[in-house]
Amino acid sequence: MVALCVDFQKIEHWVEPVENVEFIDEVAGAHIINLHANYSVPASERNKDFAFPHLLQMQEHAKIAEANGSLIPVSREDLYTQKFMQRPFRRMDFAEEWKLLKTTWSLHRRGRDHLIVQRLKDASDIYYAQDPLSTVQDWLWRFLLFFSQPEFEKPFRDLVDKVQPLIRSPEFKGFRDHYNELAPQRAERYFELMKSYFENFDQFGQVHFRVVRGLEIPDENMASSVDFPAVKMFYGNAFEAFASSIDILAYLGNLIGGRSFDQFERMALREYIRLDKPSRFGALASVPEFDALCVERDNQLRNASHHGGTRFDAQTQKITYQAGKGGQGAAQEIGLARYLARCDRIFLQAMVLFRFEIMLTQIAPGLKRPI
């Protein structure tokens, strides 16, 4: 293991040997491996000297930022003022922030709010000094907001705009009462999903910053850090969690259709709940804003991931699995980097839904918070 150390104040970096490695003098013709924690590497440049594939990807990121109005010129002198050391300007150290948020959220869920006041203050000093955190919900809201920008902002806003007119309707009360029964288990589901994701952020972080910019991972790109056993079941588990959570969109879709929250076009609530997870998405088809949030939902990949039906070639970084019911169909293949991106995307869809629920509890009186 080799550590790349960075001093963000002095703009300096150095490399340190950590485990099973030692420094030696350069050897002519030695094998070269290009690595990066936040970018995948094209196979054609993985072992090429003087190749810097991340620079081209950074240029793509800059173009997306410019198109979204978030590319801000900053002098070196201003870069490390308090303003630019806070979100959203500071470096993208979300995995470190999550460690603090997870502990604080866990205390809140166990009813130990008297222990979180200082934690909120400490986190504010690091990440939000100019606008201190007030509650765990406030922290979750901001974390999810900054972590999913810019690609996943429009789906979130579309959900809010579509649902907001329903809040004052008489039929919303039935939805509210039902949601309040579900809120504790939804909080548990979101907590466990986020914990699982960030436990393996060394894997997902290699593609995340392209996914949140709406950029695809090229077929030839390879991951630098490879731990497939740690993530092989993530897509299936995230699919299960997401499919279990979109029920509230189906209920809101019933309200949009002029029915009570528990009355579907062709079935009652008890029948909907008995549907298998992939079939539950069908109820969202009549509301484009809801269906658009669920673009990433590959049932074949879910089955292979969830039931251990994948095979991984470490040399080529190719994952193979069988399509079809029971894994009896044609063989499918996907590269590890693209698989990680699809995991990241379905996770972010779930986080948009979580953020929407947090917003809903703010604008709809009487709703319990799903935290």
Side-chain angles (χ1 to χ4, degrees):
M1 181 184 297
V2 179
L4 174 62
C5 306
V6 181
D7 185 326
F8 289 95
Q9 297 290 340
K10 298 179 180 178
I11 321 295
E12 296 177 352
H13 74 279
W14 63 96
V15 176
E16 292 183 355
V18 178
E19 184 179 352
N20 296 327
V21 65
E22 63 181 27
F23 288 132
I24 63 171
D25 293 332
E26 183 175 355
V27 177
H31 189 59
I32 295 169
I33 303 178
N34 286 310
L35 307 171
H36 205 290
N38 296 328
Y39 298 92
S40 57
V41 179
S44 59
E45 299 183 3
R46 193 176 187 219
N47 306 119
K48 187 177 180 181
D49 203 0
F50 299 108
F52 304 97
H54 68 282
L55 294 180
L56 293 176
Q57 295 181 58
M58 289 176 67
Q59 290 177 352
E60 291 181 275
H61 292 191
K63 290 178 181 178
I64 298 294
E66 186 174 21
N68 283 279
S70 57
L71 188 63
I72 303 173
V74 180
S75 68
R76 177 169 175 170
E77 291 73 24
D78 290 339
L79 189 60
Y80 294 100
T81 59
Q82 185 184 66
K83 174 182 177 180
F84 289 100
M85 290 293 287
Q86 309 300 307
R87 299 271 185 247
F89 303 107
R90 72 175 282 128
R91 65 187 184 275
M92 297 174 288
D93 52 348
F94 295 107
E96 294 304 310
E97 183 179 354
W98 165 251
K99 293 176 184 177
L100 302 177
L101 173 54
K102 178 185 68 171
T103 303
T104 308
W105 186 9
S106 180
L107 288 169
H108 171 74
R109 294 179 65 245
R110 288 183 283 147
R112 306 182 72 179
D113 285 352
H114 63 288
L115 297 177
I116 71 174
V117 176
Q118 187 61 44
R119 291 177 178 274
L120 290 173
K121 183 182 182 303
D122 292 343
S124 296
D125 291 344
I126 300 171
Y127 301 103
Y128 307 101
Q130 294 190 315
D131 185 14
L133 299 164
S134 58
T135 63
V136 175
Q137 176 161 310
D138 179 24
W139 194 356
L140 277 165
W141 165 264
R142 297 194 211 186
F143 184 83
L144 294 170
L145 166 67
F146 296 131
F147 187 69
S148 61
Q149 295 296 314
E151 178 69 7
F152 291 84
E153 183 64 16
K154 184 179 185 303
F156 165 76
R157 291 181 178 270
D158 288 347
L159 292 184
V160 174
D161 291 344
K162 193 68 178 179
V163 171
Q164 200 160 9
L166 303 173
I167 292 172
R168 301 297 177 185
S169 69
E171 293 80 10
F172 192 81
K173 180 182 183 301
F175 168 80
R176 183 188 65 203
D177 293 343
H178 186 67
Y179 181 87
N180 287 345
E181 294 177 6
L182 302 175
Q185 68 188 63
R186 298 182 74 82
E188 175 74 16
R189 188 183 304 135
Y190 286 130
F191 181 81
E192 291 299 326
L193 180 59
M194 291 184 74
K195 188 168 70 170
S196 176
Y197 175 85
F198 281 103
E199 282 173 355
N200 295 293
F201 193 67
D202 62 324
Q203 300 297 295
F204 301 124
Q206 300 173 97
V207 296
H208 172 76
F209 300 105
R210 284 187 69 84
V211 173
V212 292
R213 288 167 176 80
L215 297 170
E216 292 294 327
I217 303 297
D219 285 330
E220 72 157 334
N221 280 27
M222 303 181 77
S224 296
S225 175
V226 179
D227 188 359
F228 182 65
V231 297
K232 66 183 297 184
M233 295 187 68
F234 185 87
Y235 189 93
N237 292 340
F239 186 109
E240 291 288 307
F242 185 49
S244 296
S245 300
I246 54 98
D247 58 342
I248 67 160
L249 297 182
Y251 305 150
L252 292 168
N254 290 336
L255 297 183
I256 292 171
R259 303 179 297 275
S260 63
F261 85 92
D262 56 351
Q263 184 56 55
F264 295 81
E265 284 190 85
R266 296 182 177 85
M267 68 182 80
L269 176 59
R270 63 181 180 275
E271 296 171 282
Y272 175 78
I273 292 174
R274 285 200 295 264
L275 292 174
D276 60 24
K277 298 295 171 53
S279 298
R280 294 188 182 186
F281 290 99
L284 309 184
S286 61
V287 185
E289 293 85 352
F290 294 173
D291 200 44
L293 179 61
C294 310
V295 173
E296 180 59 63
R297 60 176 200 256
D298 186 332
N299 190 44
Q300 305 296 337
L301 184 56
R302 168 254 188 183
N303 285 337
S305 170
H306 194 61
H307 299 294
T310 55
R311 299 291 180 270
F312 179 64
D313 186 323
Q315 185 67 32
T316 63
Q317 291 193 11
K318 295 297 183 182
I319 303 165
T320 56
Y321 60 96
Q322 301 296 128
K325 190 172 182 179
Q328 301 300 312
Q332 305 291 313
E333 184 178 271
I334 182 173
L336 176 61
R338 288 179 67 88
Y339 170 76
L340 292 173
R342 298 188 71 175
C343 290
D344 200 76
R345 195 172 294 115
I346 198 168
F347 170 77
L348 285 165
Q349 290 175 174
M351 293 301 99
V352 170
L353 185 56
F354 185 22
R355 187 177 160 217
F356 165 71
E357 291 181 51
I358 293 174
M359 170 62 87
L360 201 58
T361 65
Q362 291 291 102
I363 62 178
L367 278 178
K368 288 184 179 179
R369 298 171 178 174
I371 62 172

